[in-house]
Amino acid sequence: MGEVRATARLRNFLDVGLAERGQGNLAAIPTSTLDCLVDTGAVMVLLPEDEVGKLGLLKGGRVIVTYADDRKEELPTARGLEVEILGRTMVTDCVVGPPLCEPLIGQLVLEQLDLVVDCGRKTLTPRPESPNLPLLKLK
């Protein structure tokens, strides 16, 4: 089984909101386009500290993460990350990893953007039942 990767466009949602209200230039907002590992075992997005700084994300809280080898580590989080994958956009928090670490896309993004991981084909696609927009259940 190989790894699945996705290209994500990342921005600071606070900057986007201010620009949309006329308090900045939308084209001048720092944007990162990263090749991310899609990690179905992860919950949140993990971004390198240098990318979080480049985007100017707000400081969040702290979380304890568990690695695949069962090590645990306390890491900071950042708030207000806008994530766009395959034309679908959401705003979320992210875990801040060490500089230059591999960026990860976790389950929260996959669920909210209604994306399906096909490990056999090593692809990430919109769910077939919702090719145009995310289809979310509310009960």
Side-chain angles (χ1 to χ4, degrees):
M1 188 182 310
E3 58 184 40
V4 176
R5 305 196 71 80
T7 301
R9 186 182 76 151
L10 309 170
R11 299 190 298 182
N12 182 327
F13 184 69
L14 180 59
D15 292 343
V16 172
L18 289 172
E20 287 177 348
R21 288 174 174 76
Q23 298 177 11
N25 180 355
L26 201 55
I29 294 172
T31 303
S32 292
T33 302
L34 299 180
D35 177 50
C36 302
L37 177 64
V38 178
D39 185 349
T40 58
V43 174
M44 294 177 68
V45 172
L46 172 74
L47 288 182
E49 181 180 42
D50 47 313
E51 285 296 327
V52 171
K54 173 186 167 184
L55 296 171
L57 298 177
L58 295 173
K59 184 177 181 178
R62 298 190 68 79
V63 293
I64 297 173
V65 298
T66 303
Y67 295 102
D69 62 4
D70 284 333
R71 285 181 299 122
K72 293 186 184 333
E73 183 178 15
E74 185 176 317
L75 293 175
T77 63
R79 297 181 290 150
L81 174 67
E82 181 186 82
V83 179
E84 180 184 327
I85 300 174
L86 298 174
R88 296 178 177 200
T89 305
M90 67 176 289
V91 178
T92 188
D93 293 349
C94 68
V95 176
V96 181
L100 304 176
C101 71
E102 183 169 41
L104 303 177
I105 299 296
Q107 283 292 334
L108 291 176
V109 172
L110 300 177
E111 288 291 326
Q112 188 164 338
L113 297 184
D114 201 15
L115 300 173
V116 176
V117 178
D118 184 335
C119 294
R121 291 190 176 115
K122 299 181 186 178
T123 59
L124 183 67
T125 59
R127 199 160 46 90
E129 298 84 1
S130 60
N132 301 316
L133 292 172
L135 177 62
L136 307 176
K137 292 183 181 179
L138 297 176
K139 290 188 179 186

